[in-house]
Amino acid sequence: MIFSIIVQAPPVQSQGAETALRFTRAVLAAGHQVHRVFFYRDGIHNGTDLASHPQDESSLPAQWQALAQEHNLDLVVCIAAAVRRGIVNEGEAKRYHHEHWNLAPGFELSGLGQLVDTCLQADRVVTFGGRS
Amino acid sequence: MILHTLNQGPGNPALLENCLTAMTATDTLLLIEDGIYWSLPAYADTLARVPGRVQALESDLTARGIKTALTTVDDTGFVELTINHDKVVSWF
Amino acid sequence: MSTHRFLVMTRSAPYGTSAARDALETALTCSVFEQPVTLLFLDDGVFQLLKGQAPASIEQKNLNAMQQSLPLYDIERLYVSKRALELRGLSAADLILPVELIDDAALPALLAQHDTVLSI
């Protein structure tokens, strides 16, 4: 079965992104496919390359990256939501004349159309939210 | 057949009320994250009004030190529930 | 591209969070991708459609303007919870667009009619 995961929750402040990660792992472990993980609203903060944690805690962005690498996952961050909140890749940094960029490797920025598209491709769409 | 997930506890009763209204007898409500606090005995009357089945996510119960008489599922069981239902509606 | 029925379900009041705007943008995107989309307003979400919003005072864009463009995008199916309106002392006449009021009892059928329900 093909799944699409939509993440609207940011790491740290709410549990939703953690739940989404565990669910995605369980989907893959059961032998199903994940067509795409789409990060929207505050969920875009899962795509930061600059999260730092004490040694006994794990960084959610790093865990998404590791999972994506292992399973060749498509991690898409909504570009409009991300740019407004200050998550940019090199291309967007140049477009907006920023000297720095912070989108983690393994994530890509794309439009909300990718959310619609992934719903069309999937047998099941599962959304993980924070607190609206 | 819809799987409803709900992630907020009794501090947000309107969320559960909306979810109950949208459910039918063939649907399942899966309590996740803070939603598992609805499984406490104090809210039994409210949960009794759920038209379908109610289950709770095991790891969230364990994390919060809550024991329940409800059926529980692990993450694999959560995935199975999404497959056994036609679609998933998330309440958060 | 296959045709897929989307339901965008929104429960939040406007301006206090980005939920109202994000729900509208999602619905508009579904429409741009030629997928039929229905908007469902529950709970405080009904406040999104109130007339007379002037959010320049808080430096935000007016949602009413975006909402009035919905028919141009062929988004004509707008459902508002009748009970949510009544509980808030409002009626359809207070809203910026013509909507269909939906009874609680009709909600399960509405959810069942759509392929994907997006909560925002």
Side-chain angles (χ1 to χ4, degrees):
Chain A
M1 206 163 239
I2 303 173
F3 282 78
S4 292
I5 316 288
I6 300 171
V7 183
Q8 297 184 28
V12 186
Q13 183 150 332
S14 59
Q15 197 196 340
E18 184 78 45
T19 308
L21 178 74
R22 288 203 340 263
F23 182 82
T24 306
R25 281 193 180 126
V27 166
L28 294 165
H32 302 293
Q33 271 179 272
V34 174
H35 176 263
R36 178 174 299 144
V37 184
F38 189 88
F39 299 91
Y40 189 38
R41 310 191 65 217
D42 275 1
I44 62 94
H45 292 294
N46 285 276
T48 180
D49 198 27
L50 299 176
S52 308
H53 288 255
Q55 279 186 345
D56 60 340
E57 291 179 23
S58 56
S59 147
L60 217 47
Q63 293 184 71
W64 282 117
Q65 279 177 288
L67 194 67
Q69 212 156 30
E70 192 182 337
H71 295 276
N72 199 20
L73 285 187
D74 192 19
L75 304 181
V76 176
V77 174
C78 174
I79 188 165
V83 166
R84 282 196 190 112
R85 290 166 175 84
I87 299 281
V88 290
N89 59 11
E90 186 175 356
E92 293 307 297
K94 287 190 172 144
R95 183 201 306 268
Y96 293 100
H97 309 292
H98 295 306
E99 286 175 27
H100 306 284
W101 52 92
N102 57 352
L103 184 73
F107 291 84
E108 63 174 300
L109 295 181
S110 194
L112 205 43
Q114 298 293 309
L115 182 153
V116 175
D117 171 67
T118 199
C119 294
L120 301 182
Q121 308 298 331
D123 300 308
R124 293 292 181 276
V125 178
V126 188
T127 301
F128 294 89
R131 300 204 161 219
S132 268
Chain B
M1 288 234 309
I2 297 178
L3 174 68
H4 300 258
T5 67
L6 184 131
N7 81 341
Q8 291 188 41
N12 190 346
L15 189 68
L16 182 65
E17 285 303 326
N18 275 273
C19 172
L20 291 187
T21 307
M23 283 183 74
T24 68
T26 56
D27 291 354
T28 301
L29 169 62
L30 177 65
L31 302 171
I32 66 170
E33 302 173 6
D34 288 349
I36 63 96
Y37 289 115
W38 283 111
S39 69
L40 287 171
Y43 310 108
D45 290 350
T46 306
L47 280 199
R49 292 194 287 115
V50 176
R53 294 186 300 167
V54 191
Q55 304 193 7
L57 194 59
E58 211 167 85
S59 46
D60 285 322
L61 287 162
T62 309
R64 290 163 176 80
I66 301 294
K67 291 187 169 61
T68 177
L70 293 178
T71 306
T72 64
V73 289
D74 59 11
D75 292 342
T76 307
F78 184 0
V79 173
E80 282 165 8
L81 281 175
T82 64
I83 292 168
N84 298 336
H85 293 74
D86 301 323
K87 60 185 158 249
V88 184
V89 175
S90 304
W91 300 88
F92 55 86
Chain C
M1 207 182 275
S2 63
T3 297
H4 193 94
R5 291 155 301 175
F6 283 88
L7 177 69
V8 176
M9 184 169 89
T10 173
R11 297 178 47 257
S12 301
Y15 308 116
T17 72
S18 68
R21 180 174 166 165
D22 295 336
L24 266 176
E25 283 183 356
T26 302
L28 293 173
T29 305
C30 290
S31 182
V32 167
F33 281 74
E34 295 176 352
Q35 306 302 318
V37 57
T38 304
L39 269 161
L40 172 62
F41 299 86
L42 297 177
D43 238 341
D44 281 352
V46 303
F47 290 133
Q48 293 180 27
L49 293 167
L50 271 188
K51 284 178 189 166
Q53 299 171 22
S57 59
I58 52 168
E59 299 186 15
Q60 292 204 36
K61 281 193 185 163
N62 198 331
L63 283 169
N64 282 166
M66 255 171 106
Q67 288 155 348
Q68 282 172 312
S69 74
L70 288 172
L72 301 175
Y73 285 86
D74 290 326
I75 303 176
E76 280 156 0
R77 296 186 73 199
L78 303 177
Y79 285 93
V80 170
S81 160
K82 189 163 179 273
R83 186 170 61 104
L85 264 189
E86 285 170 359
L87 278 173
R88 287 159 181 79
L90 302 170
S91 73
D94 297 306
L95 307 180
I96 188 86
L97 287 170
V99 298
E100 294 184 48
L101 298 185
I102 186 165
D103 285 319
D104 283 354
L107 284 173
L110 187 71
L111 296 190
Q113 281 162 18
H114 292 82
D115 297 300
T116 299
V117 180
L118 296 171
S119 312
I120 294 178

